[in-house]
Amino acid sequence: MSTALPTRPCPEGYGPTLVAHAFIGGEWREQGSGGVFERRNPSNRADLVAVAPLCGAADVAQACAAARRAWPSWAATPAPRRGAIVGRLAELLRQRKETLARFVTREIGKPLREARGSVQEAIDTAEFFQSEGRRLYGQTVPSELPLKQLYTFRRPLGVVGAISAGNFPIAVPSWKLVPALLCGNTAVWKASDDTPGIATLFARLWEEAGLPPGVLNLVHGAGKGGAGEALVDAVRTGGVDKISFTGSTEVGRHIGEVSGRALQVPSLELGGKNPLVVMADANLDAAVEGALWASFGTGGQRCTSAGNIVLDRPIAAEFRRRFVAAARALKVGDPSRDETVFYGPMMNERFLKGWLAQREVGLAEGATLALDGSRLAPDSGWFVGPRIFDGVRIDMRIAQEECFGPTVNLVEVDGFDEALRVANGTPYGLSSAVYTRNAQWMLRFQTDIRAGMCSINNSTTGAEAHLPFGGNGWSGNGTRESGIWVLDAYTRWQAVNVDLSDSLQLAQIDTAAEGAKRGLDWAALAPKG
Ligand code: UN1
């Protein structure tokens, strides 16, 4: 028997208000220790999308304790059975894809086609890891000694604390939770306070898929000073064995420090200032289209969005002309009302303020505005037009600092060597792209760019669910999400040896002694006194 999701009528009406819940030890909670908070539609602030429990340290402690209690029996559940639950999750996500996508559009203002794509990414992730439950391969390794066997096994870590951002509110949590749980860990998930509704729906689907109580726990609320900070504090107190975080470099550094002291390895997926290089020989139509999508898709609110467009001088003027014209023509608006908008509103007020402030920073540094995006229809929602800075040098702050929002810089260079130097000229290293037809440049770019991800003749955005995702430098600590590579983030290798010789065989010591008996008489070389 299925029960209806709890909702309340929303007075101004895009749809009913979802009563979002925390999920602790298999129990759904409407109230957190701090009461409740609201999530409003960023396109139309009158639309109350969800009310959610405001969780604090007490809720997080209970969630960690519930995850700890659930861990032994979940870890002992055969991996193929854990995989079967992940498979059912994939099926449920597929059944509910359209409803979930529409909710994503309403909760964060992502255009529907993108929202569908991001739900699909969660489906792809769950499908990939369903079958991983039948692998989770270890190795058999030859021994130095007779009648002895060596094996390796992947062992789960324990309780994983997952902290996710709001811009991919179902895809990125699935990148963390699906492999973490599949590998036999339990989890406490602190969802973004921009997306308590979709997080609740995702957790409901896990429960419906048959996940035992306490294996996944969900808390809502703020990062700093709230549930997120409490979850990071749980590293110190032994409440969690690992943090997996997607968000800012500043917070990532803090998590890295706290984790380091506890000898834990967090997964840190942080910011980016991603370069997109257009060389003189590029297919300019493709480059303009790719740059437009990389810069302004999702309103530039992806960690993989292009930050600096690096233009080889011979095509710079023509690229600028076409790119600025195309950006000027982009349709911005409420994606719940109009499916044809290119991007919707800013997802939260913090991103809006950061984007507004960036304009003055760029102008003060001497950059010019090739397109002066400004705030649109300020009363109804957080809409802004695309901004393009021209005459940018890579050492300017606007070229160095990540800015979540529809803004991109044009940086002119002379030739490939300078393009590569400029592309590598920020402390970040998440994604990158080059448009060229020159095979040697393609090869040099992919070898020498200091980025975890590199596109040749494609956008900086658009990771696939089975390729490693992650960055270098300020973009992360080298851990990767997705595909087989993420398994190393949620397991530790255990080496096992089985000795069937009925005697104490000593590795290294015995073999050295045997070798000495049969070898040359090196002592004969010693000078005779
Ligand atoms: C993010 O913005 O944190 O590759 C993730 C992409 C998306 C994921 C972005 N699939 O652009």
Side-chain angles (χ1 to χ4, degrees):
M1 197 193 71
S2 65
T3 43
L5 284 162
T7 56
R8 294 181 193 147
C10 174
E12 309 283 337
Y14 269 58
T17 300
L18 180 71
V19 180
H21 283 68
F23 188 41
I24 297 175
E27 186 191 304
W28 293 97
R29 298 189 189 173
E30 232 178 278
Q31 293 276 329
S33 54
V36 294
F37 68 100
E38 295 180 341
R39 173 64 189 176
R40 290 179 179 271
N41 184 336
S43 295
N44 178 345
R45 309 286 301 134
D47 177 22
L48 183 58
V49 180
V51 285
L54 184 60
C55 298
D59 307 279
V60 169
Q62 288 169 15
C64 291
R68 186 67 68 195
R69 277 195 303 277
W71 184 56
S73 74
W74 180 245
T77 302
R81 272 198 235 161
R82 298 196 299 254
I85 292 174
V86 169
R88 279 200 291 281
L89 176 77
E91 209 171 307
L92 292 169
L93 284 167
R94 213 176 306 109
Q95 281 169 20
R96 306 272 174 247
K97 179 174 169 180
E98 189 61 19
T99 311
L100 292 167
R102 285 182 185 274
F103 198 90
V104 167
T105 293
R106 187 174 161 216
E107 194 165 44
I108 57 167
K110 210 180 231 201
L112 198 52
R113 63 181 187 288
E114 279 189 55
R116 288 188 186 116
S118 66
V119 178
Q120 186 59 44
E121 208 163 307
I123 297 170
D124 296 343
T125 298
E127 282 180 346
F128 182 91
F129 284 103
Q130 168 184 17
S131 62
E132 193 55 41
R134 294 194 176 270
R135 287 186 296 271
L136 275 185
Y137 292 145
Q139 297 99 355
T140 58
V141 179
S143 172
E144 297 171 0
L145 298 164
L147 288 172
K148 196 176 169 198
Q149 295 189 315
L150 309 181
Y151 321 100
T152 66
F153 292 91
R154 288 188 179 277
R155 303 293 185 207
L157 307 172
V159 178
V160 170
I163 303 175
S164 53
N167 60 345
F168 278 83
I170 191 158
V172 169
S174 81
W175 290 2
K176 301 181 185 309
L177 299 173
V178 168
L181 301 189
L182 184 276
C183 288
N185 304 285
T186 55
V188 177
W189 172 28
K190 205 294 278 181
S192 162
D193 49 3
D194 293 334
T195 59
I198 195 73
T200 302
L201 299 179
F202 190 41
R204 287 258 173 201
L205 292 182
W206 274 102
E207 185 192 40
E208 203 179 325
L211 200 69
V215 173
L216 172 63
N217 303 274
L218 167 65
V219 291
H220 301 282
K224 206 169 162 54
E229 193 171 320
L231 191 52
V232 175
D233 277 345
V235 167
R236 285 192 259 252
T237 57
V240 297
D241 301 292
K242 177 191 176 89
I243 295 282
S244 179
F245 171 74
T246 297
S248 73
T249 299
E250 188 194 350
V251 174
R253 270 185 211 286
H254 170 69
I255 293 172
E257 283 168 17
V258 171
S259 300
R261 296 203 70 77
L263 305 179
Q264 293 183 12
V265 182
S267 287
L268 301 174
E269 297 303 338
L270 311 177
K273 192 75 187 178
N274 307 296
L276 184 148
V277 173
V278 186
M279 292 306 299
D281 68 335
N283 174 335
L284 264 203
D285 289 334
V288 169
E289 201 186 352
L292 208 62
W293 173 241
S295 310
F296 304 123
T298 328
Q301 298 167 98
R302 294 192 189 207
C303 56
T304 49
S305 296
N308 295 317
I309 298 184
V310 182
L311 298 173
D312 199 6
R313 200 146 341 252
I315 50 83
E318 180 60 13
F319 179 94
R320 179 185 299 105
R321 194 184 60 74
R322 293 201 213 172
F323 181 66
V324 171
R328 185 173 281 123
L330 290 180
K331 192 164 168 189
V332 181
D334 179 351
S336 295
R337 302 222 184 262
D338 182 353
E339 284 197 25
T340 66
V341 299
F342 192 82
Y343 67 84
M346 299 298 286
M347 289 172 194
N348 63 43
E349 209 167 2
R350 190 165 46 86
F351 293 165
L352 175 69
K353 285 187 176 149
W355 182 90
L356 288 171
Q358 193 232 23
R359 182 178 184 276
E360 307 321 313
V361 175
L363 290 176
E365 289 181 299
T368 57
L369 285 161
L371 187 61
D372 187 3
S374 56
R375 186 141 187 215
L376 313 168
D379 297 333
S380 60
W382 293 325
F383 297 104
V384 299
R387 173 188 299 150
I388 302 171
F389 271 117
D390 200 3
V392 175
R393 286 191 328 270
I394 196 65
D395 60 356
M396 289 179 176
R397 261 182 71 193
I398 53 164
Q400 294 287 314
E401 295 174 2
E402 181 178 42
C403 179
F404 247 54
T407 175
V408 77
N409 305 314
L410 303 182
V411 189
E412 271 187 47
V413 294
D414 280 310
F416 182 78
D417 289 341
E418 194 186 349
L420 186 61
R421 218 170 28 249
V422 164
N424 273 331
T426 76
Y428 293 98
L430 187 59
S431 70
S432 59
V434 65
Y435 279 82
T436 179
R437 292 179 170 113
N438 180 318
Q440 210 172 68
W441 286 343
M442 291 177 191
L443 195 65
R444 283 190 58 201
F445 190 80
Q446 73 192 58
T447 314
D448 294 340
I449 190 74
R450 199 196 49 187
M453 293 166 292
C454 172
S455 297
I456 311 287
N457 295 323
N458 201 343
S459 168
T460 52
T461 58
E464 298 200 25
H466 49 277
L467 259 184
F469 184 98
N472 304 326
W474 285 16
S475 297
N477 62 341
T479 50
R480 294 291 182 259
E481 304 204 280
S482 296
I484 53 168
W485 301 273
V486 75
L487 299 176
D488 288 334
Y490 295 112
T491 56
R492 280 196 175 173
W493 286 111
Q494 184 188 48
V496 174
N497 79 77
V498 180
D499 195 322
L500 300 169
S501 70
D502 285 329
S503 64
L504 177 64
Q505 302 193 86
L506 300 180
Q508 289 105 26
I509 295 176
D510 284 6
T511 49
E514 283 298 308
K517 262 188 248 161
R518 283 194 299 271
L520 283 173
D521 182 5
W522 288 88
L525 287 180
K528 301 269 177 321

